[in-house]
Amino acid sequence: MSLIRVVWGSASAPTEMASYDAALAAAGIENYNLVSVSSVIPAATAVEAVGTAPDLGPAGERLTVVEARATTAGPGQVSAALAWSQSVDDGPGLFYEVAGETDAEDVERRVHEGLHAGQELRDWEFAGPRVAVESEQAESGTYTTALVLAVYGDSDPIC
């Protein structure tokens, strides 16, 4: 069975890109090239919320991800949420992501609404939803990023 790991992190740094890189490091995936995909979970795939990714392969390789990410210049707050639900019969499933300069409760409410809307478009019988949320305060003079990602399998060579 294939595996998708849900990871999350947040961090502050002096530049927008540095805060993103540091948030990826908090999630354990800073050494990979990320390739974003839309939000469908293949059939016969397990999804585990792990927080920080284990070693997924050599640095510089490609990781396929669904990403919820928000960055702000402080002061402020950023939050990211990723919700998912899978078919009850080990069939396909769905991720839905929301992020913004808002609080954790707002992104959690909106990600549940979005997931429900996506489920309504499909004729699959879904199990109950799961959600991961990351939120962080941004101090004045810094950039802060919050992110939650679904990482599909291990890394693949990029060339």
Side-chain angles (χ1 to χ4, degrees), residues 64-87:
T64 302
V65 301
V66 172
E67 180 179 43
R69 168 179 62 147
T71 301
T72 192
Q77 183 173 9
V78 287
S79 300
L82 186 72
W84 65 97
S85 184
Q86 295 175 266
S87 299

mmCIF file of all heavy atoms in Angstrom, residues 64-87:
data_model
loop_
_atom_site.group_PDB
_atom_site.id
_atom_site.type_symbol
_atom_site.label_atom_id
_atom_site.label_comp_id
_atom_site.label_asym_id
_atom_site.label_seq_id
_atom_site.Cartn_x
_atom_site.Cartn_y
_atom_site.Cartn_z
ATOM 1 N N THR A 64 6.471 14.940 -4.351
ATOM 2 C CA THR A 64 5.144 15.328 -4.804
ATOM 3 C C THR A 64 4.327 15.692 -3.576
ATOM 4 O O THR A 64 4.261 14.918 -2.613
ATOM 5 C CB THR A 64 4.490 14.169 -5.574
ATOM 6 O OG1 THR A 64 5.335 13.826 -6.684
ATOM 7 C CG2 THR A 64 3.112 14.541 -6.067
ATOM 8 N N VAL A 65 3.693 16.891 -3.604
ATOM 9 C CA VAL A 65 3.003 17.386 -2.420
ATOM 10 C C VAL A 65 1.696 18.096 -2.771
ATOM 11 O O VAL A 65 1.520 18.598 -3.875
ATOM 12 C CB VAL A 65 3.876 18.375 -1.611
ATOM 13 C CG1 VAL A 65 5.177 17.733 -1.165
ATOM 14 C CG2 VAL A 65 4.144 19.656 -2.385
ATOM 15 N N VAL A 66 0.807 18.147 -1.783
ATOM 16 C CA VAL A 66 -0.305 19.091 -1.733
ATOM 17 C C VAL A 66 0.061 20.027 -0.595
ATOM 18 O O VAL A 66 0.395 19.566 0.502
ATOM 19 C CB VAL A 66 -1.651 18.390 -1.462
ATOM 20 C CG1 VAL A 66 -2.746 19.409 -1.228
ATOM 21 C CG2 VAL A 66 -2.009 17.452 -2.605
ATOM 22 N N GLU A 67 0.026 21.344 -0.848
ATOM 23 C CA GLU A 67 0.560 22.296 0.123
ATOM 24 C C GLU A 67 -0.437 23.386 0.483
ATOM 25 O O GLU A 67 -1.019 24.026 -0.393
ATOM 26 C CB GLU A 67 1.822 22.944 -0.452
ATOM 27 C CG GLU A 67 2.464 23.961 0.458
ATOM 28 C CD GLU A 67 3.719 24.570 -0.140
ATOM 29 O OE1 GLU A 67 3.714 24.894 -1.359
ATOM 30 O OE2 GLU A 67 4.702 24.710 0.596
ATOM 31 N N ALA A 68 -0.596 23.602 1.789
ATOM 32 C CA ALA A 68 -1.289 24.777 2.317
ATOM 33 C C ALA A 68 -0.211 25.632 2.965
ATOM 34 O O ALA A 68 0.518 25.167 3.841
ATOM 35 C CB ALA A 68 -2.332 24.370 3.344
ATOM 36 N N ARG A 69 -0.075 26.901 2.525
ATOM 37 C CA ARG A 69 1.012 27.739 3.027
ATOM 38 C C ARG A 69 0.580 29.193 3.056
ATOM 39 O O ARG A 69 -0.041 29.689 2.127
ATOM 40 C CB ARG A 69 2.228 27.614 2.116
ATOM 41 C CG ARG A 69 3.285 28.669 2.391
ATOM 42 C CD ARG A 69 4.503 28.544 1.523
ATOM 43 N NE ARG A 69 4.260 28.687 0.116
ATOM 44 C CZ ARG A 69 5.136 29.224 -0.726
ATOM 45 N NH1 ARG A 69 6.291 29.664 -0.304
ATOM 46 N NH2 ARG A 69 4.863 29.309 -1.992
ATOM 47 N N ALA A 70 0.948 29.867 4.141
ATOM 48 C CA ALA A 70 0.723 31.309 4.248
ATOM 49 C C ALA A 70 1.963 31.948 4.848
ATOM 50 O O ALA A 70 2.577 31.392 5.755
ATOM 51 C CB ALA A 70 -0.488 31.599 5.113
ATOM 52 N N THR A 71 2.316 33.138 4.326
ATOM 53 C CA THR A 71 3.449 33.910 4.835
ATOM 54 C C THR A 71 2.993 35.346 5.032
ATOM 55 O O THR A 71 2.238 35.874 4.217
ATOM 56 C CB THR A 71 4.630 33.869 3.847
ATOM 57 O OG1 THR A 71 5.027 32.511 3.638
ATOM 58 C CG2 THR A 71 5.815 34.661 4.367
ATOM 59 N N THR A 72 3.459 35.960 6.113
ATOM 60 C CA THR A 72 3.150 37.366 6.355
ATOM 61 C C THR A 72 4.366 38.079 6.930
ATOM 62 O O THR A 72 5.235 37.444 7.515
ATOM 63 C CB THR A 72 1.950 37.521 7.310
ATOM 64 O OG1 THR A 72 1.508 38.876 7.288
ATOM 65 C CG2 THR A 72 2.291 37.114 8.732
ATOM 66 N N ALA A 73 4.390 39.391 6.735
ATOM 67 C CA ALA A 73 5.366 40.243 7.398
ATOM 68 C C ALA A 73 4.716 40.720 8.692
ATOM 69 O O ALA A 73 3.596 41.220 8.675
ATOM 70 C CB ALA A 73 5.738 41.427 6.516
ATOM 71 N N GLY A 74 5.415 40.514 9.811
ATOM 72 C CA GLY A 74 4.843 40.841 11.105
ATOM 73 C C GLY A 74 4.664 42.330 11.316
ATOM 74 O O GLY A 74 5.302 43.138 10.642
ATOM 75 N N PRO A 75 3.796 42.717 12.204
ATOM 76 C CA PRO A 75 3.043 41.851 13.100
ATOM 77 C C PRO A 75 1.813 41.259 12.407
ATOM 78 O O PRO A 75 1.277 41.835 11.481
ATOM 79 C CB PRO A 75 2.634 42.778 14.238
ATOM 80 C CG PRO A 75 2.531 44.121 13.588
ATOM 81 C CD PRO A 75 3.583 44.137 12.499
ATOM 82 N N GLY A 76 1.391 40.113 12.880
ATOM 83 C CA GLY A 76 0.225 39.449 12.329
ATOM 84 C C GLY A 76 0.204 37.988 12.711
ATOM 85 O O GLY A 76 0.966 37.538 13.568
ATOM 86 N N GLN A 77 -0.682 37.256 12.070
ATOM 87 C CA GLN A 77 -0.801 35.827 12.310
ATOM 88 C C GLN A 77 -1.038 35.124 10.987
ATOM 89 O O GLN A 77 -1.748 35.640 10.121
ATOM 90 C CB GLN A 77 -1.966 35.528 13.263
ATOM 91 C CG GLN A 77 -2.101 34.065 13.597
ATOM 92 C CD GLN A 77 -3.138 33.806 14.676
ATOM 93 O OE1 GLN A 77 -3.884 34.679 15.070
ATOM 94 N NE2 GLN A 77 -3.166 32.575 15.155
ATOM 95 N N VAL A 78 -0.421 33.955 10.818
ATOM 96 C CA VAL A 78 -0.647 33.119 9.641
ATOM 97 C C VAL A 78 -1.081 31.731 10.096
ATOM 98 O O VAL A 78 -0.651 31.232 11.134
ATOM 99 C CB VAL A 78 0.606 33.000 8.741
ATOM 100 C CG1 VAL A 78 0.851 34.285 7.998
ATOM 101 C CG2 VAL A 78 1.830 32.582 9.523
ATOM 102 N N SER A 79 -1.959 31.139 9.290
ATOM 103 C CA SER A 79 -2.456 29.803 9.591
ATOM 104 C C SER A 79 -2.618 29.025 8.297
ATOM 105 O O SER A 79 -2.935 29.595 7.248
ATOM 106 C CB SER A 79 -3.806 29.876 10.317
ATOM 107 O OG SER A 79 -3.680 30.584 11.520
ATOM 108 N N ALA A 80 -2.410 27.720 8.384
ATOM 109 C CA ALA A 80 -2.580 26.811 7.250
ATOM 110 C C ALA A 80 -3.291 25.564 7.746
ATOM 111 O O ALA A 80 -3.052 25.114 8.867
ATOM 112 C CB ALA A 80 -1.229 26.451 6.645
ATOM 113 N N ALA A 81 -4.167 25.019 6.909
ATOM 114 C CA ALA A 81 -4.892 23.807 7.272
ATOM 115 C C ALA A 81 -5.005 22.893 6.066
ATOM 116 O O ALA A 81 -5.157 23.354 4.931
ATOM 117 C CB ALA A 81 -6.288 24.143 7.797
ATOM 118 N N LEU A 82 -4.941 21.601 6.331
ATOM 119 C CA LEU A 82 -5.116 20.575 5.312
ATOM 120 C C LEU A 82 -6.090 19.557 5.881
ATOM 121 O O LEU A 82 -5.854 19.020 6.969
ATOM 122 C CB LEU A 82 -3.774 19.915 4.980
ATOM 123 C CG LEU A 82 -3.763 18.914 3.839
ATOM 124 C CD1 LEU A 82 -3.912 19.630 2.499
ATOM 125 C CD2 LEU A 82 -2.460 18.121 3.843
ATOM 126 N N ALA A 83 -7.186 19.336 5.170
ATOM 127 C CA ALA A 83 -8.173 18.336 5.582
ATOM 128 C C ALA A 83 -8.195 17.229 4.539
ATOM 129 O O ALA A 83 -7.897 17.460 3.371
ATOM 130 C CB ALA A 83 -9.560 18.962 5.715
ATOM 131 N N TRP A 84 -8.559 16.040 4.982
ATOM 132 C CA TRP A 84 -8.652 14.933 4.038
ATOM 133 C C TRP A 84 -9.702 13.932 4.485
ATOM 134 O O TRP A 84 -10.035 13.827 5.656
ATOM 135 C CB TRP A 84 -7.311 14.256 3.829
ATOM 136 C CG TRP A 84 -6.715 13.554 5.009
ATOM 137 C CD1 TRP A 84 -6.784 12.208 5.301
ATOM 138 C CD2 TRP A 84 -5.935 14.140 6.061
ATOM 139 N NE1 TRP A 84 -6.095 11.945 6.452
ATOM 140 C CE2 TRP A 84 -5.563 13.104 6.938
ATOM 141 C CE3 TRP A 84 -5.516 15.441 6.339
ATOM 142 C CZ2 TRP A 84 -4.797 13.333 8.086
ATOM 143 C CZ3 TRP A 84 -4.759 15.666 7.479
ATOM 144 C CH2 TRP A 84 -4.407 14.619 8.331
ATOM 145 N N SER A 85 -10.208 13.210 3.498
ATOM 146 C CA SER A 85 -11.164 12.139 3.735
ATOM 147 C C SER A 85 -10.997 11.129 2.613
ATOM 148 O O SER A 85 -10.754 11.502 1.464
ATOM 149 C CB SER A 85 -12.594 12.693 3.743
ATOM 150 O OG SER A 85 -13.516 11.681 4.060
ATOM 151 N N GLN A 86 -11.128 9.868 2.975
ATOM 152 C CA GLN A 86 -10.943 8.800 2.002
ATOM 153 C C GLN A 86 -12.216 7.983 1.874
ATOM 154 O O GLN A 86 -13.061 7.976 2.774
ATOM 155 C CB GLN A 86 -9.776 7.907 2.431
ATOM 156 C CG GLN A 86 -8.454 8.671 2.398
ATOM 157 C CD GLN A 86 -7.311 7.848 2.943
ATOM 158 O OE1 GLN A 86 -7.006 7.952 4.118
ATOM 159 N NE2 GLN A 86 -6.680 7.063 2.082
ATOM 160 N N SER A 87 -12.336 7.285 0.767
ATOM 161 C CA SER A 87 -13.490 6.420 0.548
ATOM 162 C C SER A 87 -13.525 5.318 1.593
ATOM 163 O O SER A 87 -12.477 4.822 2.023
ATOM 164 C CB SER A 87 -13.426 5.774 -0.838
ATOM 165 O OG SER A 87 -13.448 6.744 -1.849
#
